[in-house]
Amino acid sequence: QQPVQSPQAVILREGEDAVINCSSSKALYSVHWYRQKHGEAPVFLMILLKGGEQKGHEKISASFNEKKQQSSLYLTASQLSYSGTYFCGNKAAGNKLTFGGGTRVLVKP
Amino acid sequence: DTEVTQTPKHLVMGMTNKKSLKCEQHMGHRAMYWYKQKAKKPPELMFVYSYEKLSINESVPSRFSPECPNSSLLNLHLHALQPEDSALYLCASSQGLAGMNTGELFFGEGSRLTVL
């Protein structure tokens, strides 16, 4: 089951904040976040394994609400390098990682 | 070495051709994956190998045939493809074992396939 991401796209000025949401109608066993820049491979940002867990990667952090079957990614004080498409992924048993539709982020100077 | 290497980077083939995509990693990972990605879409899982055995096939048409000759190599054999199969094919590996909810995926840069 593919997780649902929102918004589909966001445009920011450098230094602004943004939130990307990821939800699933089925249980989220663990949530993975990846960023893919144009023409490049997806790059791992973080994994959230437990309900309520929050992780951080530089000024990018995430939370995981197991009950609501939701995860949120927080881009704080965004930098130009944050531009790209962010994917959340729901990891089920058997090493099956299913990605959400993606959120395109553009950070402008 | 934290790289996943894919060759070729670009491939153009006709519908009657037979070609192969190759993927290699030397991180000691025991799970390897093929994903297909169309423009502006997320990567879609095709196959998962765990300990060199096929553990997941996402109902992929038989014109795609995966092979895992050893723990470092993953191939995708292509035969009688259709133009709609044109896409970026991404290989990935992870340390995570089947059934465990861990495992960062390391992606290669992909092979961009065009089917004429």
Side-chain angles (χ1 to χ4, degrees), chain A residues 2-42:
Chain A
Q2 184 182 52
V4 176
Q5 287 185 235
S6 63
Q8 289 188 329
V10 60
I11 299 175
L12 301 166
R13 290 286 178 193
E14 227 176 336
E16 291 182 338
D17 302 341
V19 180
I20 300 170
N21 297 306
C22 174
S23 63
S24 175
S25 58
K26 299 210 169 182
L28 291 173
Y29 296 98
S30 64
V31 180
H32 296 222
W33 286 97
Y34 287 78
R35 178 173 64 205
Q36 185 175 29
K37 292 180 181 280
H38 182 68
E40 298 181 10

Side-chain angles (χ1 to χ4, degrees), chain B residues 11-15 21 35-41 44 46 63-64 78 80-90 111-116:
Chain B
L11 178 64
V12 179
M13 61 186 289
M15 288 191 284
L21 306 180
Y35 279 85
K36 173 182 176 180
Q37 187 176 28
K38 292 271 204 179
K40 299 185 180 181
K41 296 291 185 183
E44 292 178 23
M46 300 175 72
R63 57 186 184 269
F64 295 91
L78 314 170
L81 295 193
Q82 305 295 311
E84 58 264 29
D85 296 322
S86 298
L88 181 69
Y89 288 84
L90 293 163
S111 292
R112 188 163 297 283
L113 173 67
T114 302
V115 182
L116 301 176

Side-chain angles (χ1 to χ4, degrees), chain A residues 39-41, chain B residues 4-6 9 88-91 107-111:
Chain A
E40 298 181 10
Chain B
V4 176
T5 305
Q6 288 188 245
K9 291 200 187 313
L88 181 69
Y89 288 84
L90 293 163
C91 173
F107 282 89
E109 298 222 333
S111 292

Side-chain angles (χ1 to χ4, degrees), chain B:
Chain B
D1 184 1
T2 57
E3 276 193 351
V4 176
T5 305
Q6 288 188 245
T7 55
K9 291 200 187 313
H10 299 274
L11 178 64
V12 179
M13 61 186 289
M15 288 191 284
T16 58
N17 292 159
K18 281 186 181 181
K19 297 284 185 183
S20 297
L21 306 180
K22 297 185 185 303
C23 175
E24 191 168 3
Q25 57 89 12
H26 294 289
M27 294 177 278
H29 290 171
R30 303 316 296 264
M32 295 186 76
Y33 311 73
W34 281 114
Y35 279 85
K36 173 182 176 180
Q37 187 176 28
K38 292 271 204 179
K40 299 185 180 181
K41 296 291 185 183
E44 292 178 23
L45 184 64
M46 300 175 72
F47 303 104
V48 180
Y49 273 83
S50 180
Y51 285 89
E52 300 158 48
K53 290 191 185 328
L54 184 64
S55 60
I56 295 177
N57 176 343
E58 287 289 280
S59 303
V60 178
S62 60
R63 57 186 184 269
F64 295 91
S65 175
E67 179 197 17
C68 190
N70 60 55
S71 60
S72 301
L73 292 174
L74 186 66
N75 297 322
L76 186 63
H77 302 298
L78 314 170
H79 174 55
L81 295 193
Q82 305 295 311
E84 58 264 29
D85 296 322
S86 298
L88 181 69
Y89 288 84
L90 293 163
C91 173
S93 70
S94 72
Q95 198 170 22
L97 301 175
M100 290 179 63
N101 285 322
T102 57
E104 166 188 354
L105 293 191
F106 291 79
F107 282 89
E109 298 222 333
S111 292
R112 188 163 297 283
L113 173 67
T114 302
V115 182
L116 301 176

Side-chain angles (χ1 to χ4, degrees), chain A residues 10 15 20 24 29 40 50 64 74 87 93 105 107:
Chain A
V10 60
I20 300 170
S24 175
Y29 296 98
E40 298 181 10
K50 299 177 187 175
F64 180 18
Y74 305 94
F87 294 104
V105 173
V107 181

